[in-house]
């Protein structure tokens, strides 16, 4: 018997969520962000399901190459650009766009010859991670414009630091800083395409939409904001993580459950054992009380999560049996809720499902 633990990936939900992004930013092109195995969902399947996107964004060269080898022909953007001159031939060969965020990259391009490469000049408007400070924006723009190895026109971008918080005005400030960085009018009419918005920008800051938006987490059905769930924006969860009960046992009042005996039965009660653990990517830090669905009904995990198993309070599912289905997150149980019970964010949980879990792709078109 093979283990029932699996991640069911609903490809129709991908398409639906992309539509939501299009409706929110109807005048922008959609650069679907599918880095890190499409946030743990399977990058090639995601790219195929999202074939109505205008392009794809990935973090590293290996991801971009895997997409091209799988026959994906849309524009692909390397969000961190390249690290060395040796990468340029691969970038040309695979027809990749590069984000240029550091002077070391500009210097490499200034030395380069050959077919011009499409580039996105990245300005750091307050995130303070990648990008040129606003006072260098014009200089870098001019330097790239002078490079024969760079395709014209350039494209311009920035990234938001606090857009997940609708009450934080940093985002408005970042939008303003971005457009003021250039001594031409990048916002209206210049022939440079601009891209500012991640999912939170798309849903929360219409002023950030510009020519290209970069939806990530929302494509997976998850809210980009610190509170609420994807459902608030009519998003549908793409991944449902599920497993089965492999044991149901009765314990007495006072019995301690699992490693460290951290949870004590308050009365005589049934405890279910679910075949999933941190070895599968279920978070070890999920606290007692974290919800799961047993046969579609909400129950709570109790005691510590172990590598291969989780224990569940079955008092509101007294008839549950070995073999019954348990949903850890996804349909009927927002991953956002599990993340907050585990002291993390949904992004991390989705990215963290390990390859011991079987992935099943449904609703292929
Ligand atoms: C990951 C990433 C995104 C997508 O962000 P979400 O919050 O998942 O929408 C957009 N732009 C860049 C540069 C990124 O690295």
């Amino acid at each position: 018997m093979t283990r029932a633990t699996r991640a069911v990936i609903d490809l129709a939900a991908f398409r639906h969520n992309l539509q939501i992004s299009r409706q929110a930013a109807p005048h922008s092109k959609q650069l679907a962000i599918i880095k890190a195995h499409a946030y743990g969902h399977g990058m090639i399947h995601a790219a195929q399901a999202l074939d109505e996107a205008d392009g794809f964004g990935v973090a590293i060269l290996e991801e971009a190459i895997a997409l091209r080898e799988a026959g994906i022909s849309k524009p692909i953007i390397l969000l961190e650009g390249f690290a060395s001159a040796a990468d340029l031939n691969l970038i040309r060969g695979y027809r990749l766009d590069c984000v240029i965020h550091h002077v070391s990259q500009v210097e490499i391009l200034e030395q380069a010859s050959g077919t011009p490469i499409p580039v996105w000049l990245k300005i750091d408007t307050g995130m303070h991670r990648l990008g040129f400070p606003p006072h260098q924006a014009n200089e870098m723009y001019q330097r790239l414009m002078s490079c024969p190895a760079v395709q014209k026109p350039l494209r311009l971008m920035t990234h938001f630091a606090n857009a997940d918080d609708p009450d934080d005005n940093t985002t408005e400030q970042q939008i303003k800083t971005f457009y003021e960085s250039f001594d031409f009018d990048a916002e209206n009419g210049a022939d440079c395409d601009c891209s500012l918005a991640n999912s939170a920008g798309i849903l929360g800051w219409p002023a950030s939409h510009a020519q290209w938006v970069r939806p990530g987490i929302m494509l997976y059905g998850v809210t980009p904001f610190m509170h609420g769930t994807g459902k608030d924006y009519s998003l549908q969860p793409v991944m449902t993580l599920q497993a089965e009960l492999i044991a149901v046992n009765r314990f007495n009042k006072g019995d301690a459950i699992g490693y460290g005996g951290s949870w004590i039965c308050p009365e005589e009660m049934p405890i279910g054992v679910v075949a999933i653990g941190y070895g599968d990517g279920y978070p070890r830090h999920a606290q007692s009380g974290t919800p799961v669905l047993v046969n579609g009904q909400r129950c709570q995990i109790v005691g510590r999560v172990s590598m291969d198993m989780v224990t569940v309070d079955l008092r509101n599912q007294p008839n549950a049996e070995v073999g019954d289905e348990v949903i850890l997150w996804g349909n009927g149980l927002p991953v956002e809720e599990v993340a907050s019970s585990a002291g993390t964010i949904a992004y991390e949980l989705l990215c963290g499902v390990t390859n011991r879990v079987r992935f099943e792709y449904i609703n292929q078109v």
Side-chain angles (χ1 to χ4, degrees):
M1 193 188 88
T2 59
R3 194 164 170 253
T5 306
R6 61 193 188 278
V8 179
I9 306 297
D10 181 353
L11 299 169
F14 267 136
R15 294 172 174 275
H16 169 86
N17 296 335
L18 180 61
Q19 272 311 111
I20 301 285
S21 183
R22 265 204 202 287
Q23 283 164 19
H27 307 297
S28 307
K29 289 185 185 160
Q30 301 281 328
L31 189 65
I33 305 297
I34 54 172
K35 61 198 180 191
H37 299 292
Y39 294 41
H41 292 64
M43 185 180 63
I44 308 293
H45 285 94
Q48 288 165 345
L50 294 167
D51 67 346
E52 286 179 10
D54 300 290
F56 296 107
V58 295
I60 63 173
L61 192 50
E62 287 81 350
E63 293 170 335
I65 292 174
L67 286 172
R68 284 284 184 252
E69 305 269 288
I72 302 297
S73 59
K74 299 246 160 109
I76 298 176
I77 293 159
L78 289 172
L79 296 171
E80 295 169 14
F82 52 83
S84 74
D87 295 340
L88 292 185
N89 282 335
L90 285 170
I91 285 166
R92 285 201 191 86
Y94 287 102
R95 294 177 298 105
L96 308 176
D97 287 25
C98 285
V99 170
I100 302 301
H101 58 81
H102 197 267
V103 70
S104 58
Q105 296 172 315
V106 177
E107 287 162 359
I108 288 170
L109 288 169
E110 285 173 337
Q111 302 299 314
S113 55
T115 318
I117 296 169
V119 303
W120 294 74
L121 172 59
K122 183 165 187 174
I123 308 303
D124 171 16
T125 54
M127 172 82 174
H128 299 154
R129 193 178 57 182
L130 292 185
F132 295 99
H135 72 269
Q136 291 179 1
N138 288 303
E139 179 203 338
M140 294 303 154
Y141 181 86
Q142 291 309 334
R143 283 176 68 175
L144 290 171
M145 284 298 282
S146 309
C147 289
V150 168
Q151 185 181 302
K152 320 297 179 315
L154 305 188
R155 288 144 176 191
L156 312 175
M157 69 175 288
T158 192
H159 192 54
F160 296 138
N162 296 23
D164 62 324
D165 182 354
D167 298 324
D168 189 318
N169 68 2
T170 309
T171 305
E172 279 158 42
Q173 195 53 53
Q174 284 192 262
I175 297 170
K176 191 162 177 282
T177 302
F178 178 71
Y179 287 121
E180 287 175 359
S181 299
F182 300 96
D183 58 17
F184 53 90
D185 186 357
E187 188 167 12
N188 307 297
D191 69 351
C192 285
D193 279 3
C194 295
S195 179
L196 300 81
N198 54 4
S199 300
I202 292 165
L203 295 174
W205 275 272
S208 72
H209 289 172
Q211 287 76 30
W212 290 81
V213 292
R214 306 191 304 271
I217 196 72
M218 68 181 290
L219 297 178
Y220 306 94
V222 172
T223 182
F225 299 109
M226 50 209 312
H227 302 294
T229 67
K231 209 172 168 190
D232 303 340
Y233 298 89
S234 306
L235 298 167
Q236 296 171 358
V238 176
M239 181 193 293
T240 296
L241 184 64
Q242 55 191 64
E244 280 182 3
L245 288 176
I246 55 167
V248 176
N249 299 309
R250 291 200 78 87
F251 293 102
N252 293 315
K253 178 173 180 175
D255 285 348
I257 304 299
Y259 285 123
S262 67
W263 197 82
I264 310 289
C265 296
E267 59 183 322
E268 202 270 316
M269 61 182 286
I271 295 282
V273 182
V274 188
I276 197 161
Y278 63 80
D280 302 292
Y282 189 80
R284 204 186 78 91
H285 294 289
Q287 298 169 7
S288 288
T290 301
V292 299
L293 300 180
V294 178
N295 296 325
Q297 299 296 314
R298 265 176 187 254
C299 296
Q300 301 186 337
I301 73 164
V302 294
R304 287 194 196 148
V305 173
S306 42
M307 191 181 293
D308 315 304
M309 287 170 267
V310 175
T311 38
V312 178
D313 175 351
L314 288 179
R315 280 176 293 178
N316 43 5
Q317 276 291 291
N319 300 322
E321 296 173 356
V322 168
D324 284 357
E325 180 193 85
V326 180
I327 289 181
L328 289 311
W329 64 64
N331 265 335
L333 181 58
V335 64
E336 294 93 327
E337 237 186 276
V338 179
S340 96
S341 255
T344 184
I345 55 173
Y347 296 74
E348 188 184 25
L349 295 188
L350 295 175
C351 283
V353 176
T354 69
N355 61 12
R356 184 166 79 173
V357 174
R358 185 154 45 92
F359 277 68
E360 228 174 74
Y361 292 88
I362 62 166
N363 295 328
Q364 204 123 25
V365 176

